[in-house]
Amino acid sequence: MPVTKVQPFVHADSELVKGWKNRIILHRFQLLIASSLILMIFLVLGIGLGVGLSCVGKVRCGSSSQCVSAMAQCDGTMDCENHEDELGCVRLSGRSSVLQVQKRGEWRTVCSEEWSNQLGISACKQLGYSRYVESSFISLTSIEQDLQTNLISINYSQAEVIKLQSAATFSKNHCNSGMVTTLRCIECGSRPQYKSRIVGGNISKPGQFPWQVSLHFQREHICGGSIVTSSWILTAAHCVFGFDNASLWTVHAGLTEQLINGARSLAVERIVRHAQYRQKELDYDVALMRLQEPLVFDGFVEPICLPNYGEEFTEGRMCWISGWGTTKENGESSVVLRSATIPLISTKTCNQADVYKGLISPWMICAGYLEGGIDACQGDSGGPLACEDSSVWKLVGVTSWGTGCAEVNKPGVYARVTKALSWIRLQIEREEV
Ligand code: ARG
């Protein structure tokens, strides 16, 4: 019967199919093992390479591949090839500019005993200033609590101190004098040529914002900037992104009206953009310009103070913005320097769903009115958000971005200068030593 003939045939066929299936399964199994092996090798290699390159438990020397132990940081001996481990070892902290020295990766407040002007000059140098104004001493108990705990004094025995951290003695928990050191390196944040009469509208008077500069790219105003030392201008990274050829920029200082043919222009020597700046998120939106010739301060041209480490500027505080930017969205830029006073907005408020919905990073600070109406606009970028602190002006923000201009629930966003401090100091110190 055809059936009996067909049956074994079918049977044989299914045996054959089974064999094939087995072989295919085996093959797949082998493939799986092989690919996971390859994956493992890549993973191990990747992790190994990552560990090798990421200096685990150590600190990288600048952008090189060299790593040194965290304890080698600010220990007074140069371990990195380019001495990066001995940079950024001094800072000014809190409301009263208390001097702190980093020793082996830890920040310590400097007691007043054995302090001298000579040490003051060294400290200012390490902060990136070629000058020094004064040191003064205040009682340990009058400063912020978190600055009171880790103390140090400077043992000044060498004829010439090169770096403060190398003269810093052992850590202690009280100052013999009961006093700590505060430091001033630059006369900044004052307006010696500004006679405050009633300001007509929002057009600025000469000398009202003497730290404000206009940055021209190929003879055209592009952005604002702020004078932080006689040789350095702080601006926004997005102003120079893709335009970092220093020779095409000029800096105009001490003016309120835009000049037709840039008479008082200063050449730019170098532009440093924050390495983590990303065009998409506009995070780390800061850049520095180094001038070829230093500025002369005369009341119409003056530096603004940088805030200190750990200083807080709280919501509702009134500060000033200024610039030659457009007076409405898609408008023309202004011929005269304009200014406005606006309140700071907390990141919590600014990140609300109806405002910027989580776009505000720790490196940003919002300021303006949620009801709209007053704001910075195109062309104001890079310029100052400045706050007056008992008649000293401090740079709190760098004009960065916003959705439209002066729109409801879309206040201005500024790069947060207290976050950028160590980066700024590092760039300047690196150049000045
Ligand atoms: N990105 C602008 C500039 O390049 C500044 C925008 C500020 N916008 C604002 N709404 N606050 O000039």
Side-chain angles (χ1 to χ4, degrees):
M1 299 299 284
V3 179
T4 48
K5 265 185 187 169
V6 169
Q7 272 312 75
F9 184 70
V10 167
H11 188 73
D13 194 33
S14 75
E15 282 285 273
L16 204 79
V17 168
K18 241 189 211 163
W20 267 108
K21 269 191 183 159
N22 279 345
R23 231 174 282 172
I24 286 173
I25 287 170
L26 192 76
H27 191 67
R28 281 202 186 148
F29 191 65
Q30 281 170 338
L31 260 174
L32 194 77
I33 288 186
S35 51
S36 30
L37 256 170
I38 292 173
L39 201 77
M40 284 271 274
I41 292 171
F42 270 106
L43 248 151
V44 166
L45 267 177
I47 291 173
L49 213 68
V51 167
L53 290 178
S54 71
C55 297
V56 167
K58 291 186 162 192
V59 203
R60 181 180 301 287
C61 295
S63 50
S64 76
S65 60
Q66 198 187 351
C67 305
V68 297
S69 97
M71 287 295 274
Q73 253 205 318
C74 301
D75 66 346
T77 47
M78 293 171 181
D79 304 275
C80 291
E81 234 162 79
N82 299 316
H83 311 162
E84 292 98 338
D85 58 313
E86 298 300 316
L87 291 178
C89 302
V90 170
R91 72 181 181 194
L92 299 179
S93 299
R95 271 190 58 92
S96 345
S97 304
V98 168
L99 177 65
Q100 290 195 297
V101 175
Q102 192 189 163
K103 184 119 188 182
R104 305 217 168 87
E106 239 189 290
W107 285 100
R108 293 156 188 195
T109 300
V110 177
C111 293
S112 71
E113 46 264 28
E114 291 181 72
W115 189 254
S116 65
N117 283 334
Q118 193 55 47
L119 286 168
I121 294 168
S122 297
C124 283
K125 247 194 206 133
Q126 281 184 262
L127 287 166
Y129 295 105
S130 45
R131 39 182 109 200
Y132 163 72
V133 180
E134 59 175 10
S135 306
S136 54
F137 308 120
I138 59 170
S139 122
L140 175 65
T141 51
S142 71
I143 64 175
E144 286 91 338
Q145 205 107 51
D146 53 329
L147 305 177
Q148 290 183 17
T149 44
N150 210 346
L151 304 164
I152 204 166
S153 60
I154 305 291
N155 187 351
Y156 181 43
S157 50
Q158 293 107 312
E160 196 183 325
V161 176
I162 308 146
K163 296 268 181 191
L164 232 56
Q165 62 271 26
S166 45
T169 57
F170 49 89
S171 163
K172 41 190 190 176
N173 46 29
H174 82 282
C175 291
N176 297 346
S177 56
M179 310 277 263
V180 294
T181 311
T182 71
L183 190 64
R184 264 202 322 142
C185 301
I186 186 171
E187 306 272 10
C188 57
S190 68
R191 314 194 281 190
Q193 288 292 346
Y194 178 60
K195 314 282 174 289
S196 60
R197 277 179 254 121
I198 298 158
V199 183
N202 56 0
I203 293 173
S204 313
K205 293 262 190 264
Q208 192 178 3
F209 301 101
W211 40 82
Q212 168 89 52
V213 296
S214 162
L215 304 180
H216 287 201
F217 184 75
Q218 296 182 320
R219 305 213 168 77
E220 197 192 334
H221 169 90
I222 296 285
C223 271
S226 303
I227 303 170
V228 291
T229 76
S230 57
S231 293
W232 292 92
I233 307 294
L234 185 66
T235 185
H238 81 258
C239 291
V240 297
F241 188 75
F243 304 98
D244 34 22
N245 182 348
S247 64
L248 298 177
W249 289 89
T250 46
V251 173
H252 301 257
L255 69 166
T256 50
E257 278 190 33
Q258 284 290 330
L259 311 164
I260 317 297
N261 46 15
R264 283 224 272 162
S265 65
L266 291 119
V268 178
E269 185 183 287
R270 220 161 69 78
I271 298 173
V272 202
R273 179 163 36 87
H274 197 290
Q276 280 161 283
Y277 166 73
R278 293 286 171 273
Q279 224 177 348
K280 198 164 153 266
E281 304 88 9
L282 283 170
D283 218 1
Y284 307 95
D285 196 7
V286 288
L288 281 163
M289 284 187 175
R290 188 184 159 85
L291 303 172
Q292 276 181 15
E293 303 286 335
L295 289 159
V296 177
F297 300 145
D298 62 0
F300 297 105
V301 177
E302 290 288 333
I304 188 164
C305 300
L306 290 172
N308 294 324
Y309 178 81
E311 257 190 302
E312 305 252 10
F313 298 89
T314 48
E315 179 155 47
R317 178 155 178 183
M318 295 304 288
C319 299
W320 288 78
I321 48 172
S322 46
W324 289 272
T326 59
T327 45
K328 57 172 190 270
E329 212 188 329
N330 304 318
E332 292 269 302
S333 46
S334 172
V335 175
V336 291
L337 178 63
R338 289 175 184 273
S339 57
T341 158
I342 54 168
L344 302 182
I345 299 173
S346 74
T347 298
K348 191 167 169 235
T349 306
C350 208
N351 261 334
Q352 282 172 4
D354 51 348
V355 188
Y356 283 123
K357 215 178 173 175
L359 291 176
I360 307 305
S361 80
W363 262 73
M364 301 174 189
I365 182 168
C366 297
Y369 297 93
L370 294 183
E371 59 268 36
I374 302 177
D375 192 8
C377 205
Q378 300 334 309
D380 289 323
S381 279
L385 167 68
C387 309
E388 193 178 7
D389 203 353
S390 38
S391 73
V392 173
W393 287 80
K394 290 181 174 170
L395 188 60
V396 170
V398 175
T399 307
S400 179
W401 62 276
T403 301
C405 296
E407 286 180 15
V408 174
N409 279 342
K410 298 291 174 258
V413 185
Y414 301 79
R416 194 184 278 268
V417 177
T418 48
K419 284 283 176 191
L421 278 176
S422 55
W423 179 82
I424 297 169
R425 299 275 186 224
L426 202 63
Q427 307 316 310
I428 301 182
E429 183 185 7
R430 193 174 274 161
E431 201 96 348
E432 304 300 313
V433 285

